[in-house]
Amino acid sequence: MKFATAVGLLFLLQGLIALGSLDETCEIGASRTKKYLLYTVNPGEGFNLRRDVYLRVANLVRKLNEVDNWVLVLPPWGNFYHWKNTKRNKYFPWSSFFDLSSLNRWVPALELEDYIKEHGGAVDTTFILQHYAEGWSGNWEEKYDERPCNEQVPFTHNDGNGQWDGHLWGTQITTKNFSCISIQGHASTLVPLLSKTDVRSVLVGRAETILHDEFGGTWFWSARRSMRFARHLVAEANRFRKEFLDSDDARDQTEITEDWRDTKPKRGAAKGGPYLSVHLRRRDFIYARGDEVPSLTKAAKQLEKILKSYDLNKVFIATDASLDEIEELKLKLNKYEVYYYSPSPEFLNLWGDGGIAIIDQIICSYARFFIGSYESTFSFRIQEEREILGFPVETTFNRLCGKKKKCEQPAKWKIVY
Ligand SMILES: Nc1nc2c(ncn2[C@@H]2O[C@H](COP(=O)(O)OP(=O)(O)O)[C@@H](O)[C@H]2O)c(=O)[nH]1
Ligand SMILES: [Mg+2]
């Protein structure tokens, strides 16, 4: 009897402790009204700079959630200049390319389509970010001010109801309040502006205007590590690695845990598959960065040198080059086995150019040695991925040299935990 009472008391006590901790979590945020942060990026930006803007905005939400309860609404991907094989006005939700449960382990994140199901296209307030029209005026300080809009904005005033109507992501977005904000600063510069408002939903336009709070710091890398690729893309890349490149995680020593927070490989732990990977950026880069982009002959020479010194026989090429150029490069490397990813019509139909880009990036990430293109965000995202996997730095931060005599190698942005 006494024993039963003691056990009963113990359960009661445990129950009280559990209730106590429940109360605590409620106080920290769960019981607070949810707020939603939507954002846009300059329409001219490509896929991989957009991925970087996500990190800035995610860490803004992280900061806001130290005292509040914000959910980040994920703008779907589409209508990009480079996505020539994808229909205009076709938008892909984030789950097409990324693993939502991984993202949610860093900040609460919701697809735009789910936000719209719940709230329609309505947001309370829209701030379109812009630089100061007058520039930096010599001294750099963090600041923001409401100013007239410098450029045309995707919203028009509706005189009928006093609201503003916008057309974004192929859908109608309506906002009660609208203003342009000139800003110079970091993501967290926006914290006072956003926490001051008693609104439930805010759209921050042109979010690329804000800088990272701490580029290369622990929050940067946590947000980056949370951007795991969608499982169907990883599976397809793994199939290709196995079938053509003798590459799999066990042999390559690139196994990772289910939860990204548990994966912290020691530098040099990753060996990578027995192939060289290259990101060879062509098309607009030939015009925009001519002297830094090698001819195919020069590119082939640089690749051959690495193949010899690492005693490799296979090359995987990720490129936006035309098929003719790929064939030309293959010919120049005819002593080696050259591979590139060519999607099936079904794959292309399901995941479009974004899907192919990610397959290319995954395969490049697992190679014994990677060499990228000068100042390409596509190459930078591969370098980050290799940092996450634990490759030695010298096999990651390399670039192809163009005709310029001086060829600076990329900065080594090493991972920190
Ligand atoms: N599949 C594939 N697409 C590429 C490759 N290089 C460039 N692209 C395409 O071109 C776009 C390049 O734009 P962006 O992502 O802004 O990278 P950046 O311009 O190189 O900094 C990518 O998003 C892809 O759509 C590549 O190696 N493979
Ligand atoms: Mg670009």
Side-chain angles (χ1 to χ4, degrees):
M1 192 57 188
K2 259 187 193 159
F3 176 74
T5 318
V7 171
L9 267 175
L10 203 67
F11 274 117
L12 189 68
L13 205 64
Q14 273 177 344
L16 282 174
I17 291 168
L19 265 178
S21 58
L22 199 70
D23 268 344
E24 218 168 278
T25 46
C26 285
E27 261 169 40
I28 289 169
S31 70
R32 300 210 174 181
T33 322
K34 265 192 197 155
K35 296 180 178 180
Y36 295 90
L37 185 72
L38 294 81
Y39 73 100
T40 71
V41 179
N42 180 11
E45 299 296 349
F47 191 28
N48 289 291
L49 181 99
R50 286 166 188 275
R51 285 176 56 188
D52 186 71
V53 174
Y54 171 80
L55 307 186
R56 307 177 210 181
V57 184
N59 281 338
L60 168 61
V61 167
R62 180 89 184 169
K63 196 95 186 172
L64 288 164
N65 282 355
E66 285 173 356
V67 290
D68 223 328
N69 191 17
W70 289 78
V71 177
L72 181 53
V73 180
L74 303 167
W77 310 92
N79 259 5
F80 301 156
Y81 164 78
H82 296 97
W83 287 12
K84 307 265 190 242
N85 301 302
T86 311
K87 278 195 206 106
R88 292 285 115 191
N89 299 316
K90 180 172 167 64
Y91 288 91
F92 294 82
W94 279 56
S95 60
S96 305
F97 306 132
F98 299 100
D99 185 296
L100 279 218
S101 52
S102 281
L103 292 175
N104 269 281
R105 291 188 181 117
W106 186 241
V107 289
L110 184 74
E111 301 272 14
L112 178 80
E113 59 189 21
D114 294 328
Y115 176 84
I116 286 181
K117 269 183 215 147
E118 232 177 281
H119 306 273
V123 293
D124 290 334
T125 295
T126 295
F127 298 120
I128 305 274
L129 305 183
Q130 57 187 14
H131 296 290
Y132 281 86
E134 65 271 28
W136 286 18
S137 59
N139 63 325
W140 202 86
E141 51 172 332
E142 285 194 23
K143 59 175 182 177
Y144 62 83
D145 294 284
E146 189 177 335
R147 288 290 173 90
C149 301
N150 295 344
E151 286 175 26
Q152 209 183 347
V153 293
F155 284 88
T156 47
H157 191 248
N158 182 334
D159 294 329
N161 59 14
Q163 301 201 357
W164 295 74
D165 297 327
H167 201 70
L168 293 167
W169 311 294
T171 192
Q172 162 108 0
I173 301 286
T174 301
T175 179
K176 281 188 223 139
N177 311 297
F178 175 90
S179 55
C180 282
I181 301 286
S182 288
I183 184 166
Q184 60 186 34
H186 300 89
S188 60
T189 309
L190 282 175
V191 167
L193 181 73
L194 298 181
S195 37
K196 196 165 62 184
T197 51
D198 53 359
V199 294
R200 298 276 303 274
S201 49
V202 176
L203 188 152
V204 173
R206 298 291 301 264
E208 79 284 355
T209 315
I210 48 170
L211 306 168
H212 287 278
D213 273 326
E214 202 193 358
F215 182 76
T218 52
W219 278 30
F220 169 91
W221 280 105
S222 293
R224 180 61 184 80
R225 285 156 72 216
S226 77
M227 280 189 108
R228 285 245 176 120
F229 296 121
R231 282 158 206 264
H232 54 266
L233 298 181
V234 175
E236 173 64 356
N238 287 351
R239 177 194 66 78
F240 191 95
R241 285 167 61 203
K242 195 168 200 149
E243 199 170 328
F244 301 108
L245 300 167
D246 310 316
S247 167
D248 64 59
D249 291 336
R251 275 184 288 179
D252 301 355
Q253 294 166 30
T254 47
E255 278 163 326
I256 50 170
T257 52
E258 170 73 21
D259 183 337
W260 57 268
R261 293 170 298 187
D262 303 329
T263 294
K264 287 177 191 162
K266 275 210 185 85
R267 172 159 318 276
K271 193 165 154 236
Y275 60 99
L276 159 67
S277 67
V278 54
H279 173 229
L280 180 70
R281 186 74 162 80
R282 307 289 289 170
R283 299 206 189 246
D284 47 315
F285 266 39
I286 299 176
Y287 313 109
R289 292 168 170 71
D291 287 355
E292 305 284 1
V293 180
S295 65
L296 294 179
T297 306
K298 190 150 186 207
K301 277 197 186 129
Q302 293 171 63
L303 297 178
E304 185 157 20
K305 200 170 156 204
I306 304 165
L307 285 160
K308 279 186 180 148
S309 73
Y310 277 76
D311 196 21
L312 296 168
N313 188 40
K314 295 183 185 224
V315 195
F316 177 80
I317 301 176
T319 186
D320 57 342
S322 65
L323 275 180
D324 285 352
E325 281 193 320
I326 298 178
E327 285 307 317
E328 201 183 322
L329 184 64
K330 274 179 90 167
L331 220 56
K332 293 182 196 297
L333 289 167
N334 62 7
K335 281 192 256 157
Y336 302 92
E337 288 178 42
V338 180
Y339 297 90
Y340 64 95
Y341 183 73
S342 174
S344 67
E346 297 81 55
F347 182 97
L348 190 59
N349 183 43
L350 277 172
W351 316 116
D353 295 279
I356 309 167
I358 286 180
I359 297 287
D360 275 349
Q361 288 183 318
I362 299 175
I363 300 173
C364 283
S365 303
Y366 284 90
R368 186 83 32 98
F369 191 101
F370 170 70
I371 183 163
S373 289
Y374 176 69
E375 279 189 352
S376 162
T377 56
F378 190 107
S379 294
F380 294 159
R381 298 293 87 83
I382 295 169
Q383 290 167 349
E384 290 159 8
E385 210 61 33
R386 292 175 64 85
E387 278 296 285
I388 292 167
L389 290 167
F391 278 96
V393 273
E394 62 274 15
T395 69
T396 291
F397 296 97
N398 307 291
R399 61 163 278 215
L400 293 164
C401 296
K403 58 171 171 272
K404 258 199 182 162
K405 272 232 168 67
K406 194 164 165 242
C407 176
E408 233 169 275
Q409 291 303 304
K412 298 180 175 65
W413 291 108
K414 292 190 215 159
I415 194 165
V416 290
Y417 294 104

